[in-house]
Amino acid sequence: MTATTGTAVRQRPPRATGAVPLTQARLLRIELRRNAMPLILPLIAALFWFDSYRPSTATPPLYVVRTFWNMGQGHTIVDFGPFVAGVAAWMGSRDSRRGMGDLVTATARPRWAAQLATWAATAIWAVAAYLVFVGVMFAVYAHQSVQGQPPWWWVAVGATAVTAFSAAGFAVGACWPSRFAAPVAAFGGFLAMMLSSQTGFTSTSGWALILPTNSNGNFQPDSGMLYPWLPDLPIARIMLLGGLAVAALGLLGLLPGAGGPRLRQAAAVVTLAGVVAAGTAVAFARTARLGPHGIAIPALHDAANDRPISYTPVCGHAAGLPVCLNPAYRSYLPGVTAALAPVAGEVAGLPGAPVRAMQIGAVYDPGEGGAGQAMTMSGDPPVLRMPLGALGLAGAFGWTGGQVADQYRLLFVHAFTGAGNGPGTAAQRAVQAALLQDTGVPIATQPKVLSSVGLPSWARVTGGPQPGPEPATGPVYAAARRFAALPRATQHGWLTAHLGALRSGHISLGQLP
Amino acid sequence: MTAAGIHSTPRGTAPAEVAYPPAVAGLRLAWLHAVSRRVPAALGLLAALGVLLWVSLRYHWNVAGGPAAQMFIPLTIETGAAAVIAVAAYGPFGEPERATGRWLPYLRLAAAVALTAAAFGALAAGATGGNLPGGSVALLRNVAGITGLGLLGAVVLGGMLAWAGPMAYLLVTEVALQGNPTTPWVWPARPPHDLGAALCAAGVFAAGALLITLRGPRESERD
């Protein structure tokens, strides 16, 4: 067979500039219609409801608490990721599993571009479902009057994690076109999340902060209410997960038959960029430090995020003492005023008694964890400052109203005696015990209150070591019983004369009346 | 042109089928069925999961928390084994195989039971790496029960998503383990000698094996 020389050579018409995106868009549309991901979404929806939403409803109506389990500990990612990885692996292995690998490789579009279209359709379904499910959950929270700002940065982390799982699963399927690719990818996803939990739950610093189930230092006291959610760690995690996704997809472009030399060079660059992004994120996490408002990463930190959120407080009165809280804590105001009222009435009129009680932002504290911060008293005139976000809340985590009230009274009296952030002197502890008895917390039950969960570490020192509280005996409690037995006028007279010396630690146990 | 009048195979064409002795024919049939279900690959994966369990116990991979949390990584590995068995139930031949193979139901049952036994064996060997929560009794119960769920998933969902049933059950169990479940349907969370949990797991496995025997995995164009 020869070519006739007389035939004019037919020139290939110039390619329309919009043809490639149009073809890719049509391919994406077809892949979206033929994708397997929608088949698994009902199951994921059921699991999302069971695992992410349902447990959260038993927690107080504050976003930082409501979303601790599902966002902070990454359960929305656990609910989505492994299943997305499994289905993505199924999609990735589709062509080769059906024996069409050679056929699709010979088409006009590079193999890599066609695979990216399949992956993109898979990821679009998964990420869209993630955003819809989380959006519905937050809408229900809003309907339930959950207070504070939703953790939007963490939603972005979750969406990126779903993208990363889809990319990793797709790469597994494309590289290993077997019927077992899907269960292996899903199993790998579960195992990765379990190992992330294994390391993340116990690691409060270092590279492990990058793990998506690590809630340490980022889902505690008053984030989203008294100060903003810090975006530093979410940005680092997005870098890691995005980088892993890009690297996994780039690897597909390096496989034989993925495309021409230039395309494979581009794939190599993409893979490298993904690896660099992931590595940089881990390096960032290693520089992270726990600040008062959460994990701060110097290279990513914006000082504007350190500013507290301004608000108009909601106020009530506890035996004449104005008590003002952040509006997010509005529903707790009656309980707080009722708890403080006996103590406020007991110390009213004494020099150094607070003229106002106000909520302050609880800080992230590596020593005390997310809880166990003391009330303080400062200023002239004195103001009682209450880090409610680090204290017990009635109805949360099994606390009853009575337990919480006893803790608030203890912390108020502790601040009043000037014991500060320690157990205090023996005399301070004796006066504290006597005043507590006067406010309705009998001395016999005080060791139990002091050893209850949620108080600063000094409380256990005074209440007795684990496993149980010591009985209310000894010279401190004897002095307390003696002081509490005095008439109220006598107590007030002594406190008026000696409160300054008591607070400065210059009163010994024997000097108490 | 018609084939009328042709009564024998022309010379040089396909030879007449080799007649195997019945025992060999039975073994060959079982082998071909196993190969069509990718049983050798499944056995390899189960062995790998056994090694993984050994490593996890040997090097104390434990999620922080109480005893319930500490059984979670072994349970994840057991679930992986069940997912592999469930996916191995899928056959590529569809109707021709059903129409011609009268031994097919027995082969399906034998493959499911043999793979479950292999999974238990591989994981029991892996459990020698350390202290497996619940011991071998709980391992057998968990593997059998979750495999039953996988087989049911293969019947209902088909080969493509058969693995999703065990994985979903794993998540449900994870949530249940946060509390102190008393229902025997969450059998991994129950003590190893809990009769109700054992009956539930055995019942689910029996149901899965029965249905996969009688109906086989669901076939879908997407597979």
Side-chain angles (χ1 to χ4, degrees), chain A residues 34-35 39-40 50-51 69 75 78-79 83 86 90 98 179-180 182-183 186-187 190-191 194 198 202, chain B residues 36-38 45 49 52 60-62 64 72 76 84 87-88 90 160 163 167 171 174-175 178 221-222:
Chain A
R34 301 294 301 167
N35 203 275
L39 298 178
I40 199 129
F50 184 78
D51 183 38
W69 166 266
H75 277 264
V78 176
D79 297 340
F83 295 94
W90 189 258
R98 291 178 174 174
R179 68 168 70 181
F180 295 112
F187 169 76
F190 262 117
L191 195 65
M194 289 308 109
Q198 184 222 5
T202 51
Chain B
S36 73
R37 266 59 180 176
R38 304 286 190 272
L45 286 171
L49 288 169
L52 187 62
H60 305 290
W61 295 358
N62 287 325
F72 207 71
T76 304
V84 167
V87 171
Y90 169 71
M160 182 176 72
W163 51 270
M167 297 293 173
L171 257 185
E174 186 210 5
V175 178
Q178 309 295 325
E221 281 186 7
R222 288 175 186 265

Side-chain angles (χ1 to χ4, degrees), chain A residues 422-465:
Chain A
T425 64
Q428 287 169 339
R429 284 153 55 192
V431 171
Q432 170 184 295
L435 290 177
L436 271 180
Q437 161 133 323
D438 293 344
T439 59
V441 185
I443 286 177
T445 66
Q446 287 179 20
K448 188 178 177 187
V449 175
L450 284 160
S451 60
S452 61
V453 175
L455 288 171
S457 53
W458 53 256
R460 288 197 182 280
V461 174
T462 55

